[in-house]
């Protein structure tokens, strides 16, 4: 009783923090610095911008009261796995007067909207592999690190690529730490600066999902190209993700090697595609899915036995007692991560900017972090994941933290965030805990320098 | 002067030219705004240069056409789409004509005709996407047909994959979706035939088969033609059915346009769309030319 009461208190405090500190103070601090950084690439160095940021920070406290709390709608564009009803409800409850309008699209569609309709949204719920394509457009704004409430607490995985100093494999491609920082509104930095491309939210170590009843335990990406599974394999219809899975499969199968899967050469793309096209012609691939629901249907209808999959899709099927497992490939995971970026046009409206920052920062708090963590995601502010479990499952949080974050066997049945049982007693998470899974990346979702060529080849592959 | 004549015209039995203009105007504006303007826009965009955020207006180039014809993907897909459209149109005639004939000539009372016509329309009360997805439990690997083939009849050992996420499934679904566009115009044509012509044929000793071949069928051709135009044009532009029933493994010009759009390569998407419109226009022109529809109607 008292523990849940104190939990509620903490929730209230955090919400008040979001409302007060977040809405006004943080937003205003950001404003000054952003004015210096802006969308311009006229050589505004990070140190100059940082000075401005520091100066404005002092003003912010006194001027905080001057920014009227934003009342109205914030338009968010992103994926269906992130922009779910419980998230909308939780934020709106925590932030009276602000309504969220979610536009749910596939990853390539989100990129397309960010590029060609920059005024149609306020917040871009994006992923690091989209940064190379979207950032140079100047349609999103650089966010000062000082505007991120829990910046000091971000996992080193996100800021430097390794959880332990010098340890683990950060993986090839668009890893979080390579796409998190910006030097201006149009340029990305692979090393830390005072500006962020987004306020980092979730990340995970992804693999393939498979029907364990039919296939037994599996631990190699090579299964995606196993001719014995002809017609029972699906990939995601997005080359920044699906091509990575295919490349790891072909490499694991010993068919070819890559210098850098995150940035393939034309010759590598040609070789990989010719392998994939002959596999497709032989009937290897049952389908290419574009939406989360399609991936769930592919697996649950028995049309495929193994496919590119996302963690919430696996957890949804497990909650329905479907025998799906999320592999821990010996070749390493495919990493991904993302966060909330803010549209450049918002910069002109200080109160809306403050609200956008409050929304982006809210993602690093207990409730949203918990909702996502119970589907297998990790929060960039790692502590927020545990806080989320403590808040959502106050009586059993140690069990959730043990299973999802530490790699311990589940001491009892675990529910998904929507109240359905999803993990059975005694189950251990494939790949183990946070450090084991996020210390073993093969490659990350990636947008390559040869992206146009990849798109062309991907079309050829789908039409073959 | 014009004003006063308009007043006279609206009250009098004959219309003045001004009233005629007034009647034509809304339709013309509608077509200009929602048909001609978008078409002109698409053609223009196809001729503009691509930029990372869309296109650079009024910087003309043919690069977009170069890009879509750079590999054989677009041309192959275009050929497949035309073939699929012709096949679906032919199947719709084969299935739709007997339905329309039965409704129009065999059902005697208008009450039953209307009732049965509503039954034929029933699938259209269900959302488009639902009608598409509903094929999975029928044709899927664990669907009804495979269940019978494998478990009940035992004629095959493994479920047949080619029933779904295949060209076969797409063709079947498209016929189901669009057969009504064939039934309806044929039905109306058959229902309004000149009964005197049929009577005359019978009086002159024609057998029922001969009446059908030489009188009813030729007179119903305008309906068939209108149905063909509907089905051909609709199937040529299809992308959702192809995307969902094909499981992403089969392309149509529509899915390619969508792909170009999301890349985003808007000029290439516009170029592909322009090619599609051009092919459809030629197709419809051929249909009209060979059928001499104006003479029949």
């Amino acid at each position: 009783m008292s523990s849940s009461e104190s939990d509620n208190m903490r929730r209230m405090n955090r919400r008040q923090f979001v409302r007060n500190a977040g809405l006004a103070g943080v937003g205003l601090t950001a404003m000054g610095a952003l004015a210096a950084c802006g969308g311009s690439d006229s050589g505004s160095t990070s140190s100059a911008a940082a000075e401005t940021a520091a100066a404005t920070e002092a003003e912010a406290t006194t001027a905080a009261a001057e920014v009227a709390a934003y009342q109205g709608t914030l338009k968010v564009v992103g994926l269906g796995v992130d922009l779910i009803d419980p998230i909308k409800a939780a934020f709106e409850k925590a932030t009276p007067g602000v309504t969220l309008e979610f536009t749910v699209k596939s990853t390539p569609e989100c990129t397309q909207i960010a590029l060609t309709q920059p005024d149609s949204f306020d917040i871009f719920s994006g992923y690091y592999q989209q940064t190379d394509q979207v950032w140079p457009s100047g349609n999103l704004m650089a966010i000062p690190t000082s505007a991120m409430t829990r910046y000091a607490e971000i996992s080193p995985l996100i800021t430097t690529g390794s959880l332990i100093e010098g340890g683990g494999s950060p993986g090839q491609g668009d890893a979080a730490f390579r796409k998190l920082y910006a030097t201006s509104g149009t340029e990305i930095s692979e090393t830390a600066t005072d500006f962020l491309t987004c306020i980092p939210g979730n990340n995970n170590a992804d693999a393939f999902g498979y029907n364990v009843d039919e296939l037994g335990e599996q631990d190699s990406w090579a299964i995606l190209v196993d001719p014995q599974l002809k017609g029972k394999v699906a990939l995601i219809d997005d080359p920044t993700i699906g091509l990575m899975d295919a490349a790891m499969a072909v490499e694991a199968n010993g068919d070819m090697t890559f210098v850098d899967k995150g940035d393939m050469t034309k010759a590598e793309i040609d070789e990989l595609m010719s392998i994939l096209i002959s596999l497709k012609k032989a009937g290897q691939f049952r389908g290419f899915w574009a939406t989360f629901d399609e991936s769930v249907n592919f697996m649950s209808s028995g049309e495929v036995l193994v496919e590119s999959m996302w963690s919430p899709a696996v957890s949804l099927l497990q909650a329905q007692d479907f025998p799906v497992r999320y592999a821990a490939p010996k070749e390493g995971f495919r990493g991904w991560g993302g966060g909330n970026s803010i549209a450049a046009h918002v910069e002109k409206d200080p109160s809306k900017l403050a609200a956008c920052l409050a929304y982006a920062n809210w993602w690093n708090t207990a409730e949203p972090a918990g909702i996502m963590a119970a589907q297998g995601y990790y929060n960039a502010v790692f502590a927020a994941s545990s806080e989320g479990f403590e808040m959502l499952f106050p009586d059993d949080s140690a069990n959730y933290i043990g299973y999802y974050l530490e790699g311990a066997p589940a001491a009892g049945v675990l529910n998904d965030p929507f109240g359905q049982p999803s993990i059975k007693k005694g189950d251990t998470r494939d790949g183990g805990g946070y450090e084991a899974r996020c210390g073993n990346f093969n490659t990350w979702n990636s947008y390559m320098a040869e992206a146009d060529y990849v798109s062309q080849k991907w079309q050829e592959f789908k039409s073959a | 002067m014009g004003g006063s004549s308009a007043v006279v015209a609206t009250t009098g039995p004959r219309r003045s030219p001004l009233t005629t203009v007034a009647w034509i105007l809304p339709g013309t504006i509608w077509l200009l705004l929602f048909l001609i303007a978008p078409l002109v826009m698409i053609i223009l965009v196809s001729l503009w240069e691509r930029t990372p955020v869309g296109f650079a207006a009024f910087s003309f180039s043919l690069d977009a056409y170069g890009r879509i014809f750079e590999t054989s993907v677009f041309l192959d897909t275009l050929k497949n789409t035309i073939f699929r459209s012709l096949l679906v149109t032919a199947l719709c005639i084969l299935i739709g004509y007997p339905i329309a004939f039965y409704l129009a000539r065999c059902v005697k009372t208008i009450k039953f005709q209307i009732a049965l016509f509503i039954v034929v329309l029933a699938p259209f009360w269900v959302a488009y996407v639902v009608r598409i997805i509903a094929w999975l439990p029928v044709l899927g690997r664990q669907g009804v047909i495979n269940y019978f083939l494998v478990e009940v009849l035992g004629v095959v050992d493994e479920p047949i994959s080619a029933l779904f996420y295949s060209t076969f499934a797409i063709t079947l679904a498209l016929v189901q979706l669009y057969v009504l566009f064939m039934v309806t115009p044929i039905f109306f044509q058959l229902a309004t035939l000149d009964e005197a012509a049929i009577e005359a044929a019978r009086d002159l000793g024609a057998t029922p088969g001969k009446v059908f071949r030489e009188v009813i069928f030729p007179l119903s051709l305008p309906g068939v033609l209108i149905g063909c135009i509907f089905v051909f044009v609709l199937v040529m532009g299809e992308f959702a059915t192809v995307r969902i029933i094909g499981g992403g493994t089969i392309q149509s010009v529509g899915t390619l346009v969508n792909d170009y759009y999301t890349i985003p390569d808007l000029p290439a998407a516009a170029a592909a769309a322009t090619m599609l419109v051009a092919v459809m226009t030629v197709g419809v022109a051929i249909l009209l030319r060979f059928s001499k529809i104006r003479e029949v109607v």
Side-chain angles (χ1 to χ4, degrees), chain A residues 221-283:
Chain A
W221 284 103
I223 192 170
L224 292 175
V225 294
D226 184 345
Q228 288 193 316
L229 289 174
K230 197 179 102 176
K232 289 162 185 166
V233 180
L235 293 174
I236 173 174
D237 182 8
D238 173 359
T240 64
I241 308 174
L243 190 65
M244 298 298 125
D245 287 353
M248 287 186 286
V250 165
E251 193 176 53
N253 206 39
D255 297 331
M256 74 175 281
T257 54
F258 300 86
V259 176
D260 180 357
K261 287 187 287 298
D263 222 343
M264 299 178 199
T265 62
K266 269 192 169 178
E268 284 173 334
I269 296 165
D270 283 339
E271 191 181 344
L272 173 60
M273 281 304 181
S274 82
I275 294 172
L276 293 178
I277 286 170
S278 45
L279 277 167
K280 180 169 185 270
K281 284 187 170 154

Side-chain angles (χ1 to χ4, degrees), chain A residues 23-43:
Chain A
L23 275 177
V26 175
L28 212 81
T29 312
M31 277 306 297
L34 287 164
C37 179
S40 76
D41 41 0
S42 55

Side-chain angles (χ1 to χ4, degrees), chain A residues 133 231 280 286 288 303 462, chain B residues 141 161 243 247 249 259 263:
Chain A
Q133 196 178 2
K280 180 169 185 270
R286 186 71 173 140
F288 300 104
E303 294 298 323
K462 284 201 297 176
Chain B
R141 230 196 297 255
S161 298
R243 176 66 191 74
T249 60
D259 278 359
I263 283 173

Side-chain angles (χ1 to χ4, degrees), chain B residues 254-276:
Chain B
T255 64
L256 279 186
V257 170
N258 192 49
D259 278 359
Y260 288 126
Y261 180 70
T262 46
I263 283 173
D265 185 346
L266 303 190
T274 304
M275 294 304 299
L276 181 66

Side-chain angles (χ1 to χ4, degrees), chain A residues 106 108-109 111-112 115-117 133 137 139 230-233 237 280 285-291 294 297-298 300-304 447 452 455-456 458-464, chain B residues 50 52-54 67 70-71 73 77 80 133 136 139-143 158 160-166 243-244 246-251 255-256 258-264 266:
Chain A
S106 71
E109 286 168 339
T111 310
Q112 186 257 336
L115 286 169
T116 64
Q117 302 158 53
Q133 196 178 2
S137 71
N139 292 348
K230 197 179 102 176
K232 289 162 185 166
V233 180
D237 182 8
K280 180 169 185 270
F285 303 106
R286 186 71 173 140
F288 300 104
W289 58 266
T291 64
E294 253 183 311
N297 289 339
F298 272 169
S300 66
S301 64
E303 294 298 323
V304 309
Y447 179 82
D452 277 346
S455 299
Q456 194 189 71
W458 189 255
Q459 268 191 348
E460 243 174 82
F461 174 43
K462 284 201 297 176
S463 315
Chain B
R50 179 192 177 199
V53 294
R67 283 197 299 281
E70 195 177 341
T71 66
V73 169
T77 307
N80 289 341
I133 292 170
L136 179 60
L139 300 173
R141 230 196 297 255
Q142 295 178 355
E158 274 262 305
I160 300 170
S161 298
L163 289 181
F164 204 61
Y165 298 134
S166 61
R243 176 66 191 74
I244 297 170
T249 60
I250 294 160
Q251 299 276 50
T255 64
L256 279 186
N258 192 49
D259 278 359
Y260 288 126
Y261 180 70
T262 46
I263 283 173
L266 303 190

